[in-house]
Amino acid sequence: MTSFTTLELQVDGAVARIWLNRPEMRNAIDDVFIRELGEAFAQAEAAPGVRAVVLGGRGPAFCAGANLNWMKRAAEFTPEQNLQDAAGLPRMLRTLHESRLPVIARVQGDVYAGGMGLVSVCDVAIAAEGANFCLSEVKIGLIPATISPYVIRAMGARAAQRYFLTGERFSAAEAHRIGFVHEVVPADALDAKVDEVLKNIAAAAPGAVSECKRLLRDVTGERIDDALSDETVRRIAALRAGEEGQEGLRSFLEKRKPSWVSR
């Protein structure tokens, strides 16, 4: 595994854990962070037997948004350099969003600006009760442009209208109410809840999980018409005839665990 300067990658059996690890900077995002997080996900996907990724943060904040020193440097870039530099974050977010592995956000602390983008591209988000959330870009004359497609999907357009425009901070309870996180638990129960989600993922067929992720990306927001119906029929038919589908059916009829579940 590569050694990183902004994060840690730990692979333990079926789970890869990526820890954002600059607590003194509240895990702020910069060009090095963006590059390393993309590389860490590539390594997690390539690691044999990994079934899921947990994304967590060290220290008091999960991710407090952009590193101010990085933003100061960007202010001196030419327009062309600014475009090139800005393109790194959407590439990294797509890497996480399109990962074949389910990704769980373990949110232990504050989530601001670009950190909201990180949480929104995860498949499951579990937050500690004390976490706070904020789309703060308008406070400094910017907009949450790059993260907006993912954040709007996660919290819905109506909630985004408020929090994009006001830049106000909101609680974990509010993040749960609007659907941005799936569950809120006491801080000392956070790891147990993440492990519970991992246990359920481990009981599911890995190929089917990956196909579910692709299905969600392809179907969400699409018009329900004959073409979409035909495509969904094609996908389920292919999986029924596939190795996992056949094994799942046999294991059910034979009243045993399927091959992908540890004995």
Side-chain angles (χ1 to χ4, degrees):
M1 294 292 177
T2 301
S3 177
F4 299 102
T5 61
T6 67
L7 53 86
E8 296 175 10
L9 170 61
Q10 302 169 346
V11 176
D12 182 15
V15 180
R17 298 180 190 272
I18 298 175
W19 295 97
L20 311 181
N21 192 33
R22 287 196 293 190
E24 74 285 357
M25 300 175 64
R26 297 173 61 81
N27 297 321
I29 296 170
D30 60 19
D31 48 350
V32 177
F33 175 106
I34 290 167
R35 184 182 71 251
E36 291 193 343
L37 188 52
E39 291 173 358
F41 261 83
Q43 290 188 27
E45 285 201 327
V50 170
R51 298 280 309 278
V53 178
V54 178
L55 182 63
R58 304 286 195 196
F62 176 81
C63 177
N67 182 332
L68 292 179
N69 290 325
W70 177 44
M71 294 179 71
K72 288 177 183 177
R73 293 200 313 270
E76 300 175 358
F77 289 168
T78 66
E80 293 76 15
Q81 288 173 322
N82 243 314
L83 280 173
Q84 184 176 2
D85 184 69
L89 181 58
R91 279 197 301 268
M92 182 268 285
L93 291 173
R94 282 192 65 182
T95 296
L96 274 62
H97 178 63
E98 296 179 359
S99 172
R100 65 176 178 81
L101 298 172
V103 184
I104 302 166
R106 177 197 180 275
V107 182
Q108 91 293 354
D110 292 345
V111 183
Y112 282 28
M116 295 283 290
L118 290 180
V119 174
S120 66
V121 296
C122 294
D123 301 294
V124 180
I126 310 296
E129 289 175 341
N132 288 293
F133 300 79
C134 185
L135 289 149
S136 55
E137 287 85 349
V138 292
K139 299 291 189 180
I140 57 171
L142 301 176
I143 59 174
T146 302
I147 65 174
S148 62
Y150 306 106
V151 174
I152 293 170
R153 282 190 180 194
M155 68 166 56
R158 188 61 174 164
Q161 280 180 292
R162 173 177 177 173
Y163 292 115
F164 277 29
L165 301 180
T166 65
E168 64 191 290
R169 190 170 73 162
F170 56 95
S171 68
E174 172 68 357
H176 181 246
R177 187 190 70 81
I178 63 178
F180 188 73
V181 300
H182 293 95
E183 198 157 351
V184 177
V185 298
D188 60 4
L190 185 57
D191 288 319
K193 179 56 65 174
V194 169
D195 287 344
E196 181 182 317
V197 174
L198 289 169
K199 182 178 179 180
N200 281 299
I201 289 172
V209 169
S210 294
E211 283 299 312
C212 275
K213 290 196 62 172
R214 189 165 71 93
L215 181 70
L216 284 161
R217 291 196 302 270
D218 293 347
V219 170
T220 301
E222 291 298 310
R223 180 168 174 253
I224 301 175
D225 56 15
D226 289 344
L228 184 62
S229 295
D230 290 346
E231 175 60 17
T232 58
V233 167
R234 185 194 65 76
R235 293 190 189 195
I236 189 61
L239 289 174
R240 282 177 180 172
E243 183 177 338
E244 275 191 356
Q246 291 294 303
E247 167 62 10
L249 179 60
R250 284 194 302 269
S251 66
F252 177 77
L253 293 174
E254 295 168 8
K255 298 182 180 178
R256 61 173 174 80
K257 292 181 179 180
S259 59
W260 52 80
V261 175
S262 299
R263 298 299 192 271

